[in-house]
Amino acid sequence: MSLRFLPMPTETATAYWSGGKDAYGMVPERHVSDGDGVPCRHCLRLVGAGETYLVLAHRPFPAVQPYAETGPIFLHAEPCTAHVPSEDLPPMLISRNYIVRGYSARDRILYGTGAVVPTGDIPDYAATLLAREDVAYLHIRSARNNCYQCRIERA
């Protein structure tokens, strides 16, 4: 099965870059990266040392509902080019493992789909989950902090 890794939509990133408020109604915080582990959810690359980035609460779901997880993410402070959806693992995925979890077309967690998966095994696990009819899409989340990383869909 072909899959594609998707970044945060450019429209969403542009709203944050333009001073828009985050999921908690707060203005994103600005910081300077030390170059260690600051993954941008738009270009799906690490924010380089000395570059500014935003920290904000993000809800990667279309509406508030019990399963609409909200949490902290990083985003380049200046506009960056969106990651081109592809089957290639995004370069920001540098940890040894991540949570991969399936969601229904109603944006609900599908119990039994979530697993901590070694990074190199993510494409195979994702393909297995996306072969199921009840799985509409997947999230990759931090295995240590549950922070949203990116979305996976069928290509």
Side-chain angles (χ1 to χ4, degrees):
M1 161 174 303
S2 294
L3 31 113
R4 60 189 187 145
F5 293 86
L6 295 138
M8 165 191 289
T10 297
E11 301 76 31
T12 303
T14 298
Y16 294 135
W17 290 324
S18 300
K21 302 216 171 149
D22 70 7
Y24 293 146
M26 299 179 350
V27 175
E29 297 177 6
R30 276 182 99 81
H31 296 274
V32 177
S33 175
D34 63 3
D36 186 28
V38 180
C40 176
R41 284 11 181 243
H42 186 251
C43 66
L44 302 187
R45 297 186 171 285
L46 295 177
V47 176
E51 292 182 307
T52 55
Y53 65 96
L54 303 176
V55 179
L56 57 110
H58 181 63
R59 187 187 70 240
F61 297 92
V64 175
Q65 42 92 354
Y67 292 92
E69 300 149 299
T70 301
I73 64 160
F74 305 125
L75 179 68
H76 275 105
E78 302 303 322
C80 56
T81 303
H83 174 80
V84 176
S86 72
E87 288 190 356
D88 299 328
L89 280 173
M92 71 174 198
L93 298 180
I94 59 169
S95 290
R96 70 176 181 268
N97 52 34
Y98 290 89
I99 296 169
V100 178
R101 183 180 305 136
Y103 295 83
S104 72
R106 292 183 53 227
D107 302 306
R108 306 297 174 128
I109 292 172
L110 292 169
Y111 289 101
T113 61
V116 175
V117 179
T119 303
D121 295 343
I122 290 173
D124 289 339
Y125 186 66
T128 298
L129 289 180
L130 289 169
R132 292 175 38 172
E133 287 185 26
D134 61 335
V135 176
Y137 61 91
L138 311 172
H139 280 180
I140 296 179
R141 291 179 169 269
S142 163
R144 282 143 204 68
N145 300 307
N146 195 37
C147 299
Y148 173 80
Q149 303 296 310
C150 65
R151 180 173 168 137
I152 307 173
E153 294 180 352
R154 295 171 188 89

